[in-house]
Amino acid sequence: MNNLSNFTVSPSFGNSGRPTFRERLPEIQMLELFVALLVFVVIYSLRQEKRKGLPVWPVIGMLPSLIFGVRANLYEWLTDTLNRQNGTFTFQGPWFTSLKCVITSDPRNLEHLLKTKFSNYPKGEYFRNALSDLLGNGIFNADDEMWQQQRKTASIEFHSAKFRNLTTESLLELVHARLLPVFEESVHNNTTIDLQNILLRLTFDNVCMIAFGVDPGCLRPGLPVIAFAQAFEAATEAAIIRFVTPTLVWSTMRYLNLGTEKTLKQSIKGVDAFAEEVIRARKKELSLTDDSANQRSDLLTVFMRMKDERGQPFSDKFLRDICVNFILAGRDTSSVALTWFFWLLDWNPEVEEKILSEIYRIIGEREDGQKSIEGDALIFRPEEVKKMEYLQAALSEALRLYPSVPVDHKEVIEDDVFPDGTILKRGTKVIYSIYTMGRMEGIWGKDCLEFKPERWLRDGRYMSESAYKFTAFNGGPRLCLGRDFAYYQMKYAAASILYKYQVKVEENHVVLPKLALTMYMKHGLKVKLHRRQKSELQKNMKND
Ligand code: HEM
């Protein structure tokens, strides 16, 4: 019988006191094994990279590439990878997470998922779960009948004359009584302002007037902190964290009321308190007189007049969801687009000149003699804003390069195949990169990275592009409901600002996109405003 002790490895250092080759054999074998494993992993990953566009590491999948991308510029990284993969690739996260999805920027796939096979690509469970505390059953977070009902009602409302009046009047008031005075103050004090912050305040007040019929008053001299706006912002920021946190982790944090989940809960309380107060006051107002219901055309009042399928009025919770969703949809999108637009103008002064010539020409066409060059007094009329086609082209060009919603996503209901041949299994998440689509040579030509409003014009008239190539406003049945209003709002604000001021970006100000659902500038946009000289205006008015 073998004595087990014969096999016992005891430290022995031979004659010289140094370990012999035989004694070091296990160590050397371990090292060899490790090197062999490393070589295998690298070769395997590189072969996978050829097939899938990114190295796939055992267990952690493509996570290292994603981390690299997030640290650099996620949208540029996505664009680079998609261009190398002919517009579609499958991202594989670590095996223990749900981070597996198909990412595409191929217009054929976009048309397929947004229109042709619309019902097979809802927002899905994953999105709904992550945002349900904040958005509830509102339009942004709903699919099927729940979505259809809100879409139909809101769509009728958005196209009504009453609603158009509400939006144009509230915008006029905000621009002339609030935005321009805040700008004037900065010119008077010779201070630098964060243009993004101010425009965010403008559109927040504007969309609250549309959704709730209430003005929260964020845009005022002194730029006050408004509890509701602050709570809303904190809630959206905390909710986004859920998209990059495994579901089990955030749901446990939610249960234990920890970290960002605690912030989310507290800020949703702030949002709810404001919504509940507005709903309570509006109910009281409507119960006192029928007149006010007829006069008001905000979304809250419209939905309050309606009944559900059982003939009952909508619950307060559902009314709250509807309003909060509309605020989210219309809050930051236009302001962020305008911010990128002004930054692009700073780089492209020839475009600014063309916009100004268009404005001067349109004012020059006024027949009633109101060609005021006093600046303050000039108020653009809706039919004039409509005529600003070059300005619309420049805004579309800004949205092409810097879409306010840079990426969006869907979930697959039944197994399917994309027009480009990508196989999709039930439950797969699909991400479409709108940012990438705006920078594809195949769609926009060799000059796709240049800011050229002319590409939107045919014989001087603005021509829109297919929603599956220019997807900044989404497409198909879920096309942005606020698109026409957003263009009006952006054109009105941009023309009113440009007519009066030259916007100069501060030297050395760093401009980078922030990683969020909406493409904010990470450090805002620090600018100085210079009032246009009367002589400049006079000269241009004469030229036109
Ligand atoms: C430049 C400005 C805007 C851009 C780029 C934009 C873009 C978008 C996009 C990409 C979507 C699809 C989001 C998704 O389903 O995940 C969307 C949906 C929507 N947008 Fe806009 N939007 C803008 C302004 C507005 C404004 C001002 C409003 C309202 C006042 C608005 C109301 C909506 C609504 C209600 C939806 C949901 C439509 C549905 O799901 O059926 N948007 N928008």
Side-chain angles (χ1 to χ4, degrees), residues 123 147 151 326 329-330 333-334 404-405 408 472-474 478 480 482 486:
K123 294 239 165 169
W147 163 74
R151 171 95 196 179
F326 272 88
T333 37
S334 322
S404 310
V405 181
D408 210 336
F473 291 97
N474 220 31
R478 283 195 102 130
C480 169

Side-chain angles (χ1 to χ4, degrees), residues 123 127 139-142 147 151 154 158 163 167 203 207 210 299 325-335 337-338 399 403-405 407-410 432 434 471-475 477-483 485-487 489-490:
K123 294 239 165 169
F127 186 85
I139 189 165
F140 230 64
N141 214 24
W147 163 74
R151 171 95 196 179
F158 265 63
F163 188 79
T167 51
T203 52
V207 77
I210 294 168
L299 284 167
N325 276 258
F326 272 88
I327 294 173
L328 183 77
R331 182 183 69 135
D332 297 352
T333 37
S334 322
S335 40
L338 274 173
L399 275 165
S404 310
V405 181
V407 291
D408 210 336
H409 82 277
K410 300 277 183 187
Y432 47 104
I434 300 169
T471 317
F473 291 97
N474 220 31
R478 283 195 102 130
L479 178 78
C480 169
L481 259 179
R483 185 179 60 172
F485 169 63
Y487 267 122
Q489 188 189 41
M490 291 188 293

Side-chain angles (χ1 to χ4, degrees), residues 104-253:
T104 188
S105 60
D106 186 325
R108 294 169 301 166
N109 297 346
L110 265 283
E111 182 159 5
H112 181 84
L113 73 95
L114 292 177
K115 188 177 83 175
T116 322
K117 288 274 197 100
F118 172 72
S119 53
N120 198 37
Y121 295 90
K123 294 239 165 169
E125 282 292 305
Y126 181 74
F127 186 85
R128 209 172 6 263
N129 284 345
L131 292 180
S132 68
D133 289 335
L134 175 64
L135 300 181
N137 288 322
I139 189 165
F140 230 64
N141 214 24
D143 285 316
D144 308 319
E145 289 86 40
M146 186 72 84
W147 163 74
Q148 238 158 17
Q149 183 193 35
Q150 292 176 65
R151 171 95 196 179
K152 206 170 139 198
T153 310
S155 179
I156 295 171
E157 185 59 12
F158 265 63
H159 291 102
S160 76
K162 225 171 166 186
F163 188 79
R164 274 170 206 245
N165 283 346
L166 168 77
T167 51
T168 43
E169 277 164 22
S170 63
L171 186 61
L172 189 147
E173 158 81 13
L174 278 172
V175 168
H176 292 278
R178 308 258 284 274
L179 178 74
L180 297 180
V182 166
F183 280 180
E184 203 47 38
E185 192 180 54
S186 88
V187 173
H188 185 256
N189 298 332
N190 194 26
T191 47
T192 302
I193 51 166
D194 178 358
L195 186 64
Q196 178 172 262
N197 179 292
I198 291 176
L199 292 171
L200 283 169
R201 288 168 180 267
L202 170 81
T203 52
F204 187 77
D205 284 351
N206 201 193
V207 77
C208 284
M209 286 166 157
I210 294 168
F212 279 132
V214 165
D215 174 9
C218 290
L219 180 63
R220 287 185 188 285
L223 305 178
V225 175
I226 303 290
F228 172 56
Q230 205 178 28
F232 202 95
E233 198 170 323
T236 45
E237 282 188 5
I240 290 161
I241 304 293
R242 288 185 177 176
F243 287 102
V244 287
T245 314
T247 311
L248 189 68
V249 176
W250 70 252
S251 44
T252 311
M253 283 169 65

